[in-house]
Amino acid sequence: MEISNQDSLQECPPAASDSGEAGGSDSPVKERCWDQREALPGEPRCVICGRYGEYICDETDDDICSTECKKILLDRLRSTIKLPVNQLPSKKLPARDECFYVSDNVGDQIETIRKKISIHVKGKNVPAPVMSFSSFQLPQKLQDNLEIAGFVIPTPVQMQVIPAALNKRNLLVSADTGSGKTASFLIPIVAHCSDIRSKYPVEEKRPQALVLAPTRELCVQVEDQAKLLGKGLPFKTALVVGGDALSGQVHRLSQGIELIIATPGRLIDLLTKHNFELDEISILVLDEVDCMLQRGFRDQVMQIFQALSQPQVLMFSATIPADVEKMASLMAKDLVCIYAGKPNRPSESVSQVAIWVDSKHKKQKLFDILKSTQHFKPPAVVFVESRLGADLLSEAINVITGIKALSIHGEKKMKERRETMRLFLTGEVPIIVSTGVLGRGLDLLAVKQVIVFDMPNSMQEYIHQVGRASRMGEKGTAIVFVNEENKKLFRELVQALRSSGAAIPRELANSYYSKETQPSNGRQKRRKHGTGST
Ligand code: ADP
Ligand code: MG
């Protein structure tokens, strides 16, 4: 038997072995998690689902309820700590009550757990990670909704972010693309809002939480997930994004809602034209925070932030440069930083293939890839630099290859963008050509291939675009076209390719701009000049 029955081991507390419901050593091992009963007070709990921990996993020493949860535990540990199949360190998790706060005697254990799930934290008294949804004491309806959504156990980032957010800490979270950051802020929001409503049912409902995100598509997706998690609870949402009529959004807000999901420009538009109060907002989320605190969005975000009365601030991205971390710590007191996996790197689940190709040959190269059954893995997103470029390239793909392709960018009406997304996500159109609008945060579930046709202006955007090819650690590929015009990014691109074991095209590897140590600008100019004259 792969898992040891607690009854057969000395470690089993008497309550469990005495209980008629627990099943003695003669009863068959429970295969499925839902066949197991809830734990009684004082009984061991399954570290995965929180039900009665009838067995002890012989490889890790954890309490476990069934073969199903044991498998999840071992898969999770192997994928997060990358150990060979039969080599897992022994580990013991803190009991439920110890999970939320770091006390001296469990401090070391908590650090060990963080290491195992590849989490690193910075800040004072950071709550401990929690390994199962049932240990968060969430409203029952929310737990049911998680189960319906297929969320059996929290992802590593959720294990650390949810307890910290439930403890009202200000957070800056850096975690891979596709690692489940959205639910890590939505779960505490739904729990908070439904808690407030159950304690203070009021006639006139005011929004309790605000999520700001850079694109309309991302806002739509965050709202969809929020609705899913808040179903059946006193929890309503409003979408405030450009491209749809303002009047409809104002009407929705006046109906009484708990959560606003907005792009900053449209929210400011709404606040200036309509007398709308945000004074009860107690949680502010900045999704894709590096983008939100960059020029272009920063002033709008700060204007909104100043209109709020000191909310808890939760900030997320897969790429957080040092200046953003500094700005974040100025915005939010006592900030806790949470880093999951390797920060500021392309997702390890996506294999990158860099191809050196001159600008004038890029189209032909793309068509060759799309016509090759070996290389083209639809559905695929092709990222380009300009709106016009997106329109022209999608048309050219249709004409030259006969494969259906649509374009998406910020100049298109919201209705058309929604329809394009629908056709793409339902598989009716296998290729979407996009500007940066789809680069950030979107959960393009079926997408396994990204083609970076025009290298973006920064490695941050590159990391996000590549990240669209993988969700929750599933494998994907990113083909990236690179040439002399992208030399500004050569050094970082080489590092990114090298760190993920990808081949580096000869021209890129040999370029002067790829070298680790480059002289200062003045010297660079002299050498460049000298090279040209030989
Ligand atoms: P990120 O914001 O980190 O880029 P998302 O929040 O979009 O990633 O999540 C990626 C995918 O993972 C989504 O399809 C989401 O539904 C799914 N997901 C999130 N949390 C879990 C979980 N605990 N179990 C299973 N799937 C999850
Ligand atoms: Mg996200």
Side-chain angles (χ1 to χ4, degrees):
M1 185 162 62
E2 290 227 304
I3 44 185
S4 343
N5 194 299
Q6 296 250 14
D7 290 348
S8 63
L9 295 165
Q10 303 291 306
E11 291 169 67
C12 178
S17 51
D18 290 343
S19 160
E21 280 174 85
S25 46
D26 292 342
S27 49
V29 173
K30 297 200 172 41
E31 295 284 331
R32 311 303 302 261
C33 165
W34 56 72
D35 292 337
Q36 188 54 269
R37 63 175 175 80
E38 291 298 321
L40 301 172
E43 281 185 347
R45 285 168 183 273
C46 170
V47 292
I48 298 298
C49 69
R51 289 184 169 85
Y52 171 44
E54 187 174 355
Y55 316 101
I56 296 169
C57 171
D58 43 18
E59 286 174 66
T60 67
D61 236 9
D62 284 319
D63 298 326
I64 217 82
C65 73
S66 58
T67 320
E68 185 181 17
C69 280
K70 175 185 173 178
K71 184 173 178 310
I72 293 171
L73 172 72
L74 296 183
D75 287 350
R76 164 73 23 109
L77 287 174
R78 280 183 194 115
S79 67
T80 52
I81 59 180
K82 305 246 167 357
L83 282 177
V85 173
N86 49 12
Q87 188 196 329
L88 284 170
S90 126
K91 93 184 188 17
K92 189 86 194 137
L93 297 174
R96 178 186 181 149
D97 292 346
E98 295 166 335
C99 281
F100 273 65
Y101 299 97
V102 181
S103 66
D104 287 345
N105 57 342
V106 291
D108 285 351
Q109 275 183 342
I110 287 166
E111 266 321 304
T112 312
I113 295 168
R114 286 202 182 110
K115 247 191 210 143
K116 284 181 184 172
I117 58 174
S118 297
I119 292 279
H120 172 66
V121 299
K122 216 164 70 182
K124 285 189 208 128
N125 300 325
V126 183
V130 175
M131 313 293 272
S132 72
F133 285 122
S134 60
S135 303
F136 290 127
Q137 294 165 335
L138 301 169
Q140 187 53 48
K141 203 83 198 108
L142 175 53
Q143 291 200 50
D144 297 345
N145 293 340
L146 285 167
E147 211 168 307
I148 293 165
F151 292 13
V152 181
I153 47 169
T155 64
V157 68
Q158 292 163 359
M159 289 175 184
Q160 180 60 77
V161 170
I162 297 173
L166 288 172
N167 274 278
K168 307 265 173 272
R169 303 298 299 269
N170 291 322
L171 305 178
L172 177 66
V173 182
S174 157
D176 258 0
T177 47
S179 59
K181 296 186 286 297
T182 318
S184 76
F185 61 77
L186 285 178
I187 291 170
I189 288 178
V190 175
H192 169 75
C193 292
S194 63
D195 186 43
I196 289 280
R197 290 292 173 241
S198 64
K199 284 187 188 142
Y200 313 104
V202 283
E203 290 279 296
E204 192 201 336
K205 292 208 281 177
R206 297 239 186 104
Q208 303 291 316
L210 168 64
V211 175
L212 293 177
T215 65
R216 306 168 202 174
E217 278 76 12
L218 183 52
C219 287
V220 169
Q221 269 199 0
V222 171
E223 192 196 31
D224 285 349
Q225 198 168 131
K227 281 180 171 158
L228 212 74
L229 296 179
K231 204 168 175 198
L233 285 160
F235 178 76
K236 291 209 161 39
T237 60
L239 195 61
V240 179
V241 296
D244 276 345
L246 188 63
S247 54
Q249 295 175 0
V250 172
H251 178 71
R252 174 83 188 156
L253 283 169
S254 66
Q255 302 288 293
I257 52 104
E258 277 71 28
L259 170 65
I260 301 176
I261 299 134
T263 47
R266 174 51 76 94
L267 184 62
I268 289 182
D269 204 18
L270 188 140
L271 293 175
T272 39
K273 290 186 185 138
H274 298 265
N275 199 8
F276 199 79
E277 298 287 333
L278 296 180
D279 52 345
E280 276 188 33
I281 299 265
S282 55
I283 304 177
L284 168 68
V285 173
L286 300 181
D287 199 11
E288 306 296 335
V289 60
D290 52 330
C291 186
M292 304 304 278
L293 293 180
Q294 255 164 19
R295 252 178 307 147
F297 277 127
R298 185 168 49 212
D299 292 348
Q300 293 174 331
V301 168
M302 292 321 274
Q303 197 181 333
I304 294 166
F305 180 60
Q306 273 143 21
L308 310 179
S309 23
Q310 302 198 322
Q312 177 188 14
V313 189
L314 309 176
M315 298 171 270
F316 297 82
S317 184
T319 49
I320 302 189
D323 61 328
V324 170
E325 195 166 320
K326 208 163 158 194
M327 268 188 272
S329 60
L330 293 175
M331 269 178 85
K333 264 195 285 177
D334 233 354
L335 186 71
V336 170
C337 298
I338 297 173
Y339 311 89
K342 291 184 188 144
N344 299 327
R345 295 255 188 93
S347 164
E348 287 189 345
S349 311
V350 182
S351 45
Q352 300 159 76
V353 180
I355 302 177
W356 186 272
V357 46
D358 289 339
S359 291
K360 61 176 184 294
H361 296 126
K362 282 205 288 195
K363 270 193 187 155
Q364 190 52 53
K365 190 78 195 167
L366 176 68
F367 301 147
D368 292 346
I369 292 171
L370 299 181
K371 283 190 224 159
S372 147
T373 46
Q374 189 195 343
H375 295 113
F376 178 41
K377 304 269 176 257
V381 185
V382 179
F383 282 107
V384 296
E385 192 185 357
S386 71
R387 295 167 179 185
L388 182 63
D391 289 339
L392 294 176
L393 189 60
S394 61
E395 269 177 46
I397 293 172
N398 285 322
V399 173
I400 309 283
T401 66
I403 304 170
K404 268 197 213 161
L406 287 173
S407 64
I408 192 162
H409 53 70
E411 234 163 48
K412 301 214 167 193
K413 287 254 171 292
M414 194 60 195
K415 203 169 156 211
E416 193 182 343
R417 281 163 69 163
R418 275 208 180 100
E419 180 58 8
T420 302
M421 288 301 288
R422 189 190 67 75
L423 291 169
F424 181 61
L425 293 174
T426 53
E428 285 172 62
V429 171
I431 299 175
I432 202 163
V433 184
S434 170
T435 56
V437 291
L438 293 193
R440 284 273 181 172
L442 278 187
D443 184 23
L444 304 171
L445 261 183
V447 172
K448 300 281 175 287
Q449 185 168 52
V450 159
I451 300 174
V452 182
F453 184 87
D454 292 325
M455 190 72 190
N457 291 331
S458 72
M459 275 310 276
Q460 265 161 268
E461 289 320 303
Y462 173 76
I463 291 169
H464 286 273
Q465 292 183 0
V466 163
R468 294 317 102 211
S470 162
R471 308 271 84 193
M472 297 289 293
E474 277 190 30
K475 297 274 170 236
T477 54
I479 296 176
V480 47
F481 291 172
V482 61
N483 62 40
E484 202 60 32
E485 288 174 20
N486 317 118
K487 56 179 177 266
K488 195 172 74 136
L489 297 178
F490 279 4
R491 203 162 50 85
E492 290 171 89
L493 180 61
V494 166
Q495 276 169 7
L497 294 171
R498 197 165 278 149
S499 71
S500 49
I504 300 167
R506 190 173 32 85
E507 296 86 341
L508 180 59
N510 292 341
S511 169
Y512 165 74
Y513 295 94
S514 301
K515 302 285 174 263
E516 280 296 328
T517 46
Q518 284 174 19
S520 67
N521 279 347
R523 219 165 136 220
Q524 244 180 50
K525 274 189 189 130
R526 278 205 302 279
R527 282 189 54 173
K528 204 174 123 201
H529 192 72
T531 314
S533 61
T534 52

